[in-house]
Amino acid sequence: MFHKAVNHRQTHLKAKVTIKRDVENNTDTVTKMIYQITGTLSNYISGAHNTYTIAMKHDGGRDPNAFHHFLKEEYAKFPKDKVKVLILPILSPSMTQVYQRVVAIGNPVILNELRKIPRTETVSPAYYDEHPESPKIGGGRAFDSVLEAIGMGVLSAEHSIHTAFTHQMISTLTIKSIEGGETWYKDNPFKQRFVSIVKEEINQLMEKIRKAENQNETIQLDFRFFALKIFLRGFYPEATWEDQWIHRLSQTIEEISDAAFRCITNPYANLAQLRESAKTKLDPFIDLIMKENQAFYLSDEYIKKTDAETIRQIIISLLFAGGDNIKKFLDHVLVEFGNDEIRSKYLQKNLSKEDLHVLVMEIGRRYTTIYAQPGKALEDFIIEYEKGDIKEKFFIKAGDELHYTTWEANMDTTEWGETAKEFNPEEHQKHYDILNPLATFGSGSRICRGKSITLAIIEHFVAKAVEEFTWEARVDGKKNHHPTEFNFNHGIKGEIQYTFIKRQRLMHSPVSERMEESTVQSDIDNASVVPVSLFRFPKSQPTSNVRQNVIEIISVPGLH
């Protein structure tokens, strides 16, 4: 189905981005003072206007997503030839400053360069001696306060702790494929068992789907429960986890995630209350898990050097990031594959592993589970962008809140082309190497350490599902409907139900007729099947209440 593009890099102009510390300042004192005064006045006026818009138009006093709605509106105003970087002053909740600048970055090339710069909290001071041009960028309030409050402080721990944690997670979580994994990892008991558990849980899920299909019933799939069960059984071979206990854990994670999200978007939030609530709800689960042998998936050397509190934080981080990311991503994949147009265009014939990977990447581009990432400028720096005749320079100031707007960057027409907002792997695959369609997992120094294992689980299950079934997805009863919502991560808004049909039955009955038999009040029309061979997917070459919801407008990352 997919074919390599020929010399696509020669026809697609590549942007060049440079990020460096702003150390050149030859402005005389008087001129600098005048600039600061006029700049402060301008930012205050803009901040008052922006805050009023967020509060009144987007219900900023009650809606935690008010800033996201405002941001979408501002990005929509951008001319096609402008680089998507917004500098938005907002009236500050702090008593020590009048306004706060939020720098929202919706350009994928700039984001890729920014992600190459590690968070200051996680590197040694020597890093800046070795990289004198690299600006100091912190993790922002989400890392420094909110994640710490819910027990994930290891993600922003100081250099020595974070480096050891990162190396251990790379060793533990690097599983790139499930098929044949038992053989590949025969010298690693943990990975061999983990792959086996993934297959067992997928088989159980497939049996559940077969049963529903055989009885012509719609079905709901709880992918957070599915992911948590894999991780708990895979990490702790001697433990027995009851399904009801895992369901309660899943519900607790969802409740705490929602509370954390509201604290992230509300700079007045009571973090002490969040910390106490998270501890009270999570401790019974984590205490039980801590009784198990952690040395099965963590090295003996790492455990000897790591205190119990850090181990607890690792467990919480794995459960939250792994459970929620797999759930949200799989929800997006199955709802998109349950769309009439996508199903008829891409899923009428068997997919190769490579074909499926491209489709999953395109869904990841369109629906980013981690829709934004945080940052805070700890010193002045400059972003320089150049692409053909477009040359822009952005001056970032110490104290600016950085909003890495992944959802916007993944649909930026300046870089992806005119079809950026469409599901179109035929056109977009040629940009994948450069523009990072799976930016939901970060990149560079801020890449999610669980990326490979997450994709391996997702693609193995989806491969099994599409090999045996085709399906229709309905969200809140509506077909061909893919509504999303911003929360702890970017998920589907509404109740999802699926109607599965065995592929061999399709040989005797059109998809629409089988759907009508098994779905109440179905209104599916007979779809015209477009031959898959007509679609060529070119592969790239190898290589106060009013203010409270408007400052901290960042998503919670995974293991970055």
Side-chain angles (χ1 to χ4, degrees), residues 25 40 53 61 118 150 154 204 213 219 238 241 259 265 334 342 364 426 443 509 539:
N25 193 341
T40 299
T53 300
I150 65 174
V154 68
Q204 288 187 26
E213 193 278 339
I219 188 174
E238 298 176 2
W241 310 100
T265 59
L334 263 71
I342 302 299
E426 300 95 323
S443 61
S509 172
K539 284 187 178 179

mmCIF file of all heavy atoms in Angstrom, residues 25 40 53 61 118 150 154 204 213 219 238 241 259 265 334 342 364 426 443 509 539:
data_model
loop_
_atom_site.group_PDB
_atom_site.id
_atom_site.type_symbol
_atom_site.label_atom_id
_atom_site.label_comp_id
_atom_site.label_asym_id
_atom_site.label_seq_id
_atom_site.Cartn_x
_atom_site.Cartn_y
_atom_site.Cartn_z
ATOM 1 N N ASN A 25 23.516 42.566 24.393
ATOM 2 C CA ASN A 25 22.680 43.679 24.824
ATOM 3 C C ASN A 25 23.538 44.934 24.887
ATOM 4 O O ASN A 25 24.164 45.227 25.903
ATOM 5 C CB ASN A 25 22.049 43.385 26.187
ATOM 6 C CG ASN A 25 20.932 44.370 26.507
ATOM 7 O OD1 ASN A 25 20.860 45.431 25.927
ATOM 8 N ND2 ASN A 25 20.082 43.975 27.446
ATOM 9 N N THR A 40 6.141 47.377 29.281
ATOM 10 C CA THR A 40 5.292 47.020 30.414
ATOM 11 C C THR A 40 3.884 47.552 30.221
ATOM 12 O O THR A 40 2.893 46.848 30.475
ATOM 13 C CB THR A 40 5.887 47.569 31.723
ATOM 14 O OG1 THR A 40 7.175 46.992 31.933
ATOM 15 C CG2 THR A 40 4.980 47.262 32.905
ATOM 16 N N THR A 53 -11.273 38.802 27.851
ATOM 17 C CA THR A 53 -11.808 37.900 26.829
ATOM 18 C C THR A 53 -11.950 36.483 27.372
ATOM 19 O O THR A 53 -12.971 35.810 27.179
ATOM 20 C CB THR A 53 -10.896 37.879 25.587
ATOM 21 O OG1 THR A 53 -10.808 39.204 25.055
ATOM 22 C CG2 THR A 53 -11.449 36.946 24.521
ATOM 23 N N GLY A 61 -13.871 31.911 34.772
ATOM 24 C CA GLY A 61 -14.031 31.667 36.192
ATOM 25 C C GLY A 61 -14.414 30.243 36.530
ATOM 26 O O GLY A 61 -14.190 29.785 37.643
ATOM 27 N N PRO A 118 17.257 20.146 27.389
ATOM 28 C CA PRO A 118 16.758 19.460 28.598
ATOM 29 C C PRO A 118 16.240 20.452 29.637
ATOM 30 O O PRO A 118 16.625 21.622 29.647
ATOM 31 C CB PRO A 118 17.991 18.715 29.104
ATOM 32 C CG PRO A 118 19.153 19.529 28.609
ATOM 33 C CD PRO A 118 18.729 20.073 27.276
ATOM 34 N N ILE A 150 0.947 14.898 43.309
ATOM 35 C CA ILE A 150 0.215 13.630 43.126
ATOM 36 C C ILE A 150 1.150 12.422 43.145
ATOM 37 O O ILE A 150 0.748 11.305 42.832
ATOM 38 C CB ILE A 150 -0.629 13.636 41.839
ATOM 39 C CG1 ILE A 150 0.244 13.717 40.590
ATOM 40 C CG2 ILE A 150 -1.645 14.760 41.869
ATOM 41 C CD1 ILE A 150 -0.544 13.572 39.285
ATOM 42 N N VAL A 154 9.491 12.280 40.833
ATOM 43 C CA VAL A 154 10.703 11.757 40.205
ATOM 44 C C VAL A 154 10.892 12.321 38.801
ATOM 45 O O VAL A 154 12.011 12.401 38.285
ATOM 46 C CB VAL A 154 10.669 10.208 40.169
ATOM 47 C CG1 VAL A 154 9.591 9.705 39.213
ATOM 48 C CG2 VAL A 154 12.032 9.633 39.810
ATOM 49 N N GLN A 204 -7.616 -12.132 25.707
ATOM 50 C CA GLN A 204 -8.834 -12.020 26.515
ATOM 51 C C GLN A 204 -9.749 -10.929 25.979
ATOM 52 O O GLN A 204 -10.976 -11.094 25.928
ATOM 53 C CB GLN A 204 -8.473 -11.730 27.971
ATOM 54 C CG GLN A 204 -7.871 -12.919 28.709
ATOM 55 C CD GLN A 204 -7.680 -12.645 30.186
ATOM 56 O OE1 GLN A 204 -8.388 -11.828 30.770
ATOM 57 N NE2 GLN A 204 -6.728 -13.333 30.800
ATOM 58 N N GLU A 213 -19.712 -9.796 19.266
ATOM 59 C CA GLU A 213 -20.027 -9.868 17.836
ATOM 60 C C GLU A 213 -20.944 -11.042 17.541
ATOM 61 O O GLU A 213 -21.906 -10.916 16.774
ATOM 62 C CB GLU A 213 -18.727 -9.997 17.032
ATOM 63 C CG GLU A 213 -18.886 -9.770 15.532
ATOM 64 C CD GLU A 213 -19.378 -11.007 14.793
ATOM 65 O OE1 GLU A 213 -19.218 -12.128 15.350
ATOM 66 O OE2 GLU A 213 -19.904 -10.865 13.674
ATOM 67 N N ILE A 219 -20.556 -2.975 22.268
ATOM 68 C CA ILE A 219 -19.620 -3.244 23.357
ATOM 69 C C ILE A 219 -18.848 -1.972 23.696
ATOM 70 O O ILE A 219 -18.570 -1.134 22.822
ATOM 71 C CB ILE A 219 -18.642 -4.383 22.962
ATOM 72 C CG1 ILE A 219 -17.789 -4.804 24.143
ATOM 73 C CG2 ILE A 219 -17.777 -3.969 21.785
ATOM 74 C CD1 ILE A 219 -16.904 -6.015 23.857
ATOM 75 N N GLU A 238 4.563 -12.592 40.864
ATOM 76 C CA GLU A 238 4.139 -13.399 42.000
ATOM 77 C C GLU A 238 2.841 -12.898 42.621
ATOM 78 O O GLU A 238 2.302 -13.524 43.533
ATOM 79 C CB GLU A 238 5.247 -13.411 43.061
ATOM 80 C CG GLU A 238 6.551 -14.043 42.562
ATOM 81 C CD GLU A 238 7.664 -13.951 43.584
ATOM 82 O OE1 GLU A 238 7.399 -13.427 44.700
ATOM 83 O OE2 GLU A 238 8.784 -14.392 43.292
ATOM 84 N N TRP A 241 -3.813 -10.048 41.142
ATOM 85 C CA TRP A 241 -4.575 -8.802 41.179
ATOM 86 C C TRP A 241 -6.015 -9.076 40.747
ATOM 87 O O TRP A 241 -6.259 -9.514 39.631
ATOM 88 C CB TRP A 241 -3.944 -7.767 40.237
ATOM 89 C CG TRP A 241 -2.462 -7.603 40.427
ATOM 90 C CD1 TRP A 241 -1.483 -8.160 39.671
ATOM 91 C CD2 TRP A 241 -1.801 -6.867 41.457
ATOM 92 N NE1 TRP A 241 -0.246 -7.811 40.134
ATOM 93 C CE2 TRP A 241 -0.406 -7.010 41.247
ATOM 94 C CE3 TRP A 241 -2.240 -6.115 42.536
ATOM 95 C CZ2 TRP A 241 0.537 -6.411 42.067
ATOM 96 C CZ3 TRP A 241 -1.296 -5.505 43.358
ATOM 97 C CH2 TRP A 241 0.068 -5.661 43.120
ATOM 98 N N ALA A 259 -8.402 16.092 39.093
ATOM 99 C CA ALA A 259 -8.077 17.102 40.105
ATOM 100 C C ALA A 259 -6.749 17.778 39.784
ATOM 101 O O ALA A 259 -6.602 19.004 39.948
ATOM 102 C CB ALA A 259 -8.026 16.455 41.490
ATOM 103 N N THR A 265 -4.407 24.224 35.694
ATOM 104 C CA THR A 265 -5.008 25.377 35.016
ATOM 105 C C THR A 265 -5.428 26.476 35.983
ATOM 106 O O THR A 265 -5.904 27.513 35.548
ATOM 107 C CB THR A 265 -6.247 24.940 34.204
ATOM 108 O OG1 THR A 265 -7.196 24.337 35.084
ATOM 109 C CG2 THR A 265 -5.852 23.957 33.117
ATOM 110 N N LEU A 334 -9.381 3.367 17.683
ATOM 111 C CA LEU A 334 -10.563 2.561 17.380
ATOM 112 C C LEU A 334 -11.741 3.411 16.914
ATOM 113 O O LEU A 334 -12.515 2.975 16.058
ATOM 114 C CB LEU A 334 -10.950 1.708 18.591
ATOM 115 C CG LEU A 334 -10.392 0.273 18.499
ATOM 116 C CD1 LEU A 334 -8.888 0.274 18.686
ATOM 117 C CD2 LEU A 334 -11.060 -0.654 19.492
ATOM 118 N N ILE A 342 -12.973 6.253 6.771
ATOM 119 C CA ILE A 342 -11.665 5.649 7.031
ATOM 120 C C ILE A 342 -11.715 4.151 6.804
ATOM 121 O O ILE A 342 -10.819 3.558 6.185
ATOM 122 C CB ILE A 342 -11.214 5.953 8.479
ATOM 123 C CG1 ILE A 342 -11.149 7.470 8.730
ATOM 124 C CG2 ILE A 342 -9.869 5.296 8.764
ATOM 125 C CD1 ILE A 342 -10.189 8.195 7.848
ATOM 126 N N GLY A 364 -2.104 9.502 15.564
ATOM 127 C CA GLY A 364 -1.355 10.191 16.610
ATOM 128 C C GLY A 364 -1.095 11.647 16.268
ATOM 129 O O GLY A 364 -1.060 12.502 17.157
ATOM 130 N N GLU A 426 -1.445 9.704 3.007
ATOM 131 C CA GLU A 426 -0.842 9.736 1.672
ATOM 132 C C GLU A 426 0.033 10.974 1.498
ATOM 133 O O GLU A 426 1.128 10.908 0.956
ATOM 134 C CB GLU A 426 -1.919 9.743 0.574
ATOM 135 C CG GLU A 426 -2.843 8.554 0.574
ATOM 136 C CD GLU A 426 -4.116 8.803 1.328
ATOM 137 O OE1 GLU A 426 -4.086 9.488 2.373
ATOM 138 O OE2 GLU A 426 -5.169 8.323 0.874
ATOM 139 N N SER A 443 10.131 14.501 22.145
ATOM 140 C CA SER A 443 11.270 14.154 21.289
ATOM 141 C C SER A 443 12.528 14.693 21.955
ATOM 142 O O SER A 443 12.469 15.402 22.959
ATOM 143 C CB SER A 443 11.101 14.747 19.878
ATOM 144 O OG SER A 443 11.029 16.165 19.927
ATOM 145 N N SER A 509 -22.140 -10.093 2.988
ATOM 146 C CA SER A 509 -23.056 -9.020 3.338
ATOM 147 C C SER A 509 -22.311 -7.699 3.404
ATOM 148 O O SER A 509 -21.244 -7.639 3.998
ATOM 149 C CB SER A 509 -23.693 -9.320 4.699
ATOM 150 O OG SER A 509 -24.444 -8.236 5.151
ATOM 151 N N LYS A 539 6.458 6.835 1.415
ATOM 152 C CA LYS A 539 7.267 6.812 2.634
ATOM 153 C C LYS A 539 8.418 7.801 2.508
ATOM 154 O O LYS A 539 8.964 8.009 1.444
ATOM 155 C CB LYS A 539 7.842 5.415 2.876
ATOM 156 C CG LYS A 539 6.812 4.426 3.403
ATOM 157 C CD LYS A 539 7.503 3.143 3.775
ATOM 158 C CE LYS A 539 6.524 2.146 4.345
ATOM 159 N NZ LYS A 539 7.157 0.884 4.699
#
